[in-house]
């Protein structure tokens, strides 16, 4: 089945794209990268919040990345052994100077721009075959979410491709996540191979099977059309994928941190030497620190853009995913002007928060003319009295008139009201810490393992559309009782909920400001698999596969202490991530701040981001 997505990203425990595998025990793909979990003296208590935790270190839910990487490397060695040696290829040569290079699409550029004016559309094709076939849909959702910034997206298995389809869309993206060959027959239709080289529309190809495209259309013909030879290009050099830790794109040095043994490598294009071959533009450069050598991470010639890996696993706020996020502009909106905006929110404000702390930060932001969001939890509860001398405590907004008055003051001085759950915790149980508002998950179950990692366990008991809607309705009623406006923006507690819950949020709010989880089964219209998901954050506003507008939080939050195996994150770290995101030509630096911390670290962060050239905008007007 195909999925159509219409047009239009807090967590600290796991870092996004998110595939939470690498975004829980077995590597997870892209957990909402980086996200800082909330910690610190929350309001009047002395407890430490653990904050928004989007996913596992890889960003993918329960993926055996070690097994995948081993199979990937073995298949590539087998292909090398069976490929006849041909002359003409040479180690990758650098293309144009990378400084500011955006290499417009050759023959298809004018046509792509015209299509974008009339209504931009993207086709996302993905693999489903083989023991790791489930990765294809997860990666496709992540790609479709990004393309949802530009227009309408159609996502479907590549096996369902029919002749001429590429010409029906502004741009096409193929995600080669299954290495075909050996025991896995090629599932890519011959019509797709033929159409890729025949069309003038832009096609972006990620990772595997680019060599099959060359073989299917004729290696010599491919070389003459595109200037490089995929059949002589491999993920290993000298028997190793090396240690690729950096990708340079648009003058920004982006990180790549893949654990040893879980790296399938980055394909190293063999660019043709000699006269008569078309120029190959190097869009981004990978650095192999084990040898000190550089090679192209992404190249373009003619209508074809090739990216040497699928960059959704093991991502962070300064990761090479940023390069791919920007490359979508080349295919879907090449005329986009340079613009850099910043967006911030104050996090975990509850009836137990200190009005004086809030007023101090509000006065600073007003003086600096910084618009911002205030994420409010309408009911504070400590069911076991963890922070109240053993006595259970529940407090509502209406019981804290001074706090409500402060919130109204903030709304009059640049803030926009946002809803951050009903209680930001789940019942009387530790989920995963103590059951206290702000510390625990509300819409998802989790626990802390023996290695001090937060592990995602799945939807809460009794999860349903009715259950989620009830909590939303009860929360909105508390805002009304306190005389506050109806919040139209939502942030999911700890950035985690079921697919069912996300659809409920979409029915009640105009947008989410967060990082999110996306579950296997969503594109095909089947029941979401709670054990297979990808976590993701965004550099710009998107309309995601749930049909919801999502506002970006992509550089994390201030967190002065390490916890759950996540390092401290200081103003300099947020500023460095904002700098890396300058590589996105029309992107945001989105972050959040807990108002129980002093004003000074917030000042340092704001001043540093402004100095990079960002302009702060309100979450209410972001688009």
């Amino acid at each position: 089945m195909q999925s159509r997505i219409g047009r239009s990203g807090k967590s600290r425990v796991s870092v996004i794209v998110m595939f939470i595998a690498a975004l829980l025990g077995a590597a997870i793909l892209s957990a909402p990268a980086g996200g800082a979990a909330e910690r610190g003296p929350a309001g009047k208590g002395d407890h430490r919040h653990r904050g928004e935790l989007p996913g596992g270190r890889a960003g993918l839910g329960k993926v055996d990345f070690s097994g995948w990487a081993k199979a990937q490397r073995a298949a590539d060695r087998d292909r090398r052994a069976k490929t006849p040696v041909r002359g003409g290829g040479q180690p990758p040569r650098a293309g144009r100077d990378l400084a500011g290079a955006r290499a417009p699409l050759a023959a298809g550029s004018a046509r792509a721009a015209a299509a974008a004016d009339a209504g931009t559309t993207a086709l996302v094709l993905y693999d489903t075959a083989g023991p790791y076939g489930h990765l294809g849909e997860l990666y496709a959702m992540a790609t479709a979410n990004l393309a949802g910034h530009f227009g309408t997206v159609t996502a479907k298995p590549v096996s369902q491709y029919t002749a001429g389809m590429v010409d029906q869309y502004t741009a096409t993206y193929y995600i080669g996540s299954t290495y075909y060959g050996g025991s896995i027959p090629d599932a890519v239709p011959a019509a797709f191979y033929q159409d890729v080289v025949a069309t003038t529309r832009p096609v972006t190809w990620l990772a595997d099977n680019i060599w099959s495209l060359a073989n299917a259309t004729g290696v010599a013909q491919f070389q003459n059309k595109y200037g490089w030879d995929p059949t002589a290009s491999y993920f290993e050099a000298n028997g190793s994928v090396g240690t690729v830790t950096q990708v340079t794109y648009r003058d920004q040095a982006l990180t790549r941190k893949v654990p040893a043994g879980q790296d399938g490598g980055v394909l190293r294009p063999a660019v043709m030497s000699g006269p008569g071959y078309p120029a190959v533009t190097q869009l981004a450069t990978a650095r192999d620190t084990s040898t000190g050598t550089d090679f192209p991470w992404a190249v373009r010639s003619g209508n074809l853009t090739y990216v040497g890996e699928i960059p959704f696993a093991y991502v962070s706020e300064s990761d090479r995913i940023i390069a791919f996020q920007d490359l979508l502009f080349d295919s879907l909106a090449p005329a986009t002007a340079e613009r850099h905006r910043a967006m911030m929110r104050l996090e975990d404000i509850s009836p137990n928060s200190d009005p004086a702390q809030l007023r101090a930060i509000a006065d600073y932001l007003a003086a600096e003319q910084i618009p911002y969001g205030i994420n409010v939890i309408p009911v504070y509860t400590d069911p076991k009295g963890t922070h109240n001398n053993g006595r259970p405590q529940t407090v509502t907004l209406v019981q804290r008139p001074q706090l409500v008055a402060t919130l109204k003051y903030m709304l009059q001085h640049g803030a926009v009201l946002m809803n951050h759950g009903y209680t930001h915790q789940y019942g009387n149980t530790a989920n995963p810490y103590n059951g206290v508002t702000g510390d625990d998950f509300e819409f998802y179950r989790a626990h802390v393992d023996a290695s001090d990692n937060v592990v995602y366990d799945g939807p809460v008991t009794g999860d349903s559309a009715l259950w989620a809607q009830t909590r939303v309705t009860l929360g909105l009623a508390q805002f009304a009782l306190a005389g506050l406006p109806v919040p139209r923006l939502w942030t999911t507690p700890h950035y985690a909920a079921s697919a069912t819950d996300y659809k409920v949020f979409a029915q009640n709010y105009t947008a989410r400001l967060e990082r999110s989880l996306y579950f296997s089964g969503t594109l095909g219209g089947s029941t979401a698999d709670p054990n297979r998901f990808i976590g993701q954050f965004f550099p710009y506003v998107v309309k995601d596969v749930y049909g919801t507008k999502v506002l970006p939080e992509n550089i994390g939050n201030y967190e002065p202490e390490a916890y759950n195996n996540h390092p401290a994150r200081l103003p300099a770290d947020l500023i460095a991530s904002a700098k890396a995101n300058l590589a996105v030509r029309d992107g945001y630096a989105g972050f959040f701040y807990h108002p129980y911390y002093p004003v000074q670290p917030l000042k340092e962060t704001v001043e540093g981001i402004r100095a990079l050239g960002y302009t702060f905008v309100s979450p209410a007007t972001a688009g």
Side-chain angles (χ1 to χ4, degrees):
M1 295 179 62
Q2 71 180 32
S3 174
R4 292 185 181 275
I5 304 110
R7 174 176 185 172
S8 90
K10 105 180 183 189
S11 163
R12 175 182 188 171
V13 164
S14 295
V15 177
I16 242 43
V17 215
M18 265 167 209
F19 261 359
I20 285 183
L23 125 40
L24 299 163
I28 298 174
L29 284 189
S30 152
E38 319 153 17
R39 276 172 68 106
K44 299 178 180 177
D46 60 359
H47 56 295
R48 314 286 293 177
H49 278 201
R50 321 269 177 156
E52 309 320 324
L53 317 163
R57 296 200 179 136
L60 290 176
K62 299 182 180 178
V63 174
D64 177 13
F65 270 109
S66 295
W68 167 82
K70 182 178 180 180
Q72 172 91 353
R73 296 192 299 267
D76 204 52
R77 290 170 190 157
D78 184 63
R79 176 172 67 90
R80 183 193 292 263
K82 294 178 179 178
T83 301
V85 177
R86 299 185 183 93
Q90 67 173 20
R93 71 172 182 240
R96 71 173 60 176
D97 186 349
L98 290 181
R102 284 185 201 161
L105 294 169
S109 59
R111 191 172 180 182
D117 292 340
T120 302
T121 58
L123 174 63
V124 177
L125 302 171
Y126 58 97
D127 295 321
T128 57
Y132 299 97
H134 57 280
L135 291 178
E137 184 187 13
L138 299 178
Y139 293 134
M141 284 190 289
T143 304
N145 287 336
L146 293 172
H149 171 70
F150 302 91
T152 301
V153 185
T154 296
K156 61 194 312 178
V158 68
S159 60
Q160 295 179 13
Y161 180 87
T162 57
M165 198 172 286
V166 294
D167 286 321
Q168 300 171 24
Y169 296 88
T170 307
T172 296
Y173 299 84
Y174 167 62
I175 305 161
S177 62
T178 295
Y179 200 121
Y180 295 119
S183 62
I184 308 176
D186 191 350
V188 178
F192 182 58
Y193 289 138
Q194 295 163 2
D195 287 354
V196 168
V197 299
T199 186
T200 57
R201 297 290 177 107
V203 175
T204 299
W205 194 294
L206 285 79
D208 293 346
N209 310 315
I210 187 71
W211 46 88
S212 297
L213 170 64
N215 282 322
T217 58
V219 176
Q221 292 88 332
F222 188 99
Q223 293 172 346
N224 290 328
K225 183 176 179 65
Y226 295 115
W228 64 288
D229 183 1
T231 68
S233 304
Y234 302 98
F235 291 97
E236 292 186 334
N238 301 317
S240 170
V241 296
T243 307
V244 179
T245 60
Q246 178 179 297
V247 172
T248 301
Y249 177 74
R250 298 193 70 213
D251 294 330
Q252 298 299 329
L254 308 175
T255 59
R256 184 180 184 272
K257 300 179 180 179
V258 180
Q262 298 184 28
D263 192 351
V266 180
L267 193 81
R268 303 170 185 237
V271 178
M272 305 309 297
S273 60
Y277 292 108
V280 177
T281 299
Q282 182 171 259
L283 301 171
T285 304
R287 163 58 62 96
D288 183 348
T289 54
S290 66
T291 60
T293 58
D294 294 338
F295 63 92
W297 185 82
V299 295
R300 176 177 299 139
S301 53
N303 69 310
L304 181 64
T305 298
Y306 177 76
V307 179
E309 65 169 329
I310 301 172
F312 291 115
Y314 294 104
V315 301
S316 71
E317 292 86 352
S318 303
D319 186 79
R320 85 286 196 197
I321 186 64
I322 293 170
F324 182 66
Q325 291 165 343
D326 182 73
L327 283 172
L328 271 72
F329 284 95
D330 286 353
S331 298
L332 295 170
T336 301
E338 193 88 11
R339 179 173 55 166
H340 302 289
R341 289 171 287 178
M343 186 164 53
M344 67 160 288
R345 70 177 194 260
L346 298 180
E347 192 74 352
D348 290 339
I349 300 170
S350 80
N352 205 44
S353 295
D354 185 343
Q357 292 175 323
L358 293 172
R359 179 68 72 104
I361 288 182
D363 286 342
Y364 161 70
L365 293 173
E368 293 297 319
Q369 297 184 328
I370 301 289
Y372 60 101
I374 49 175
N375 245 353
V376 178
I377 309 161
V379 175
Y380 171 89
T381 185
D382 181 355
K384 297 181 180 181
T386 301
H387 305 302
N388 193 41
N389 299 316
R391 294 172 297 172
Q393 180 185 31
T394 296
V395 186
T396 65
L397 286 170
V398 76
Q399 293 173 303
R400 292 289 189 264
Q402 186 178 358
L403 173 71
V404 172
T406 300
L407 294 178
K408 292 179 178 178
Y409 172 84
M410 298 170 84
L411 295 176
Q412 295 167 358
H413 292 80
V416 57
L417 185 63
M418 301 170 56
N419 192 172
H420 192 30
Y422 174 42
T423 62
H424 201 319
Q425 55 83 239
Y426 178 67
N428 297 326
T429 186
N431 189 36
Y433 303 113
N434 50 33
V436 179
T437 288
D439 286 356
D440 279 15
F441 291 75
E442 180 173 355
F443 292 90
Y444 216 73
R445 291 306 306 270
H447 72 276
V448 179
D449 67 14
S451 300
D452 197 31
N453 298 306
V454 173
V455 179
Y456 286 33
D457 298 322
V460 300
T461 301
D463 180 61
S464 68
L466 177 60
W467 177 83
Q469 182 61 60
T470 298
R471 298 192 74 80
V472 168
T473 301
L474 290 171
L476 292 175
Q478 291 296 324
F479 287 106
L481 288 172
L484 291 167
V486 177
R488 304 310 303 159
L489 301 177
W490 168 271
T491 299
T492 305
H494 283 343
Y495 289 158
S498 70
T500 297
D501 300 337
Y502 283 119
K503 293 173 184 176
V504 170
F505 306 150
Q507 295 168 2
N508 291 270
Y509 303 91
T510 59
R512 304 193 315 269
L513 197 173
E514 59 179 41
R515 308 176 181 198
S516 305
L517 303 182
Y518 298 94
F519 296 87
S520 178
T522 299
L523 294 182
S526 59
T527 302
D529 184 342
N531 293 312
R532 288 179 173 170
F533 59 89
I534 181 169
Q536 191 174 16
F537 55 87
F538 307 105
Y540 32 65
V541 177
V542 307
K543 187 169 186 180
D544 70 4
V545 295
Y546 298 134
T548 308
K549 181 179 179 180
V550 184
L551 310 183
E553 184 279 280
N554 59 330
I555 67 170
N557 67 290
Y558 171 73
E559 178 49 60
E561 299 180 16
Y563 78 93
N564 293 128
N565 295 311
H566 292 275
R569 194 157 173 82
L570 304 178
D573 298 307
L574 274 70
I575 295 165
S577 293
K579 181 178 184 299
N581 275 275
L582 289 172
V584 179
R585 68 197 69 177
D586 185 12
Y588 285 81
F591 71 99
F592 63 93
Y593 192 84
H594 291 99
Y596 45 71
Y597 287 126
V599 178
Q600 184 58 35
L602 177 60
K603 290 182 178 180
E604 295 173 16
T605 304
V606 168
E607 291 171 1
I609 291 175
R610 270 184 162 174
L612 292 172
Y614 284 92
T615 300
F616 278 86
V617 298
S618 170
T621 60

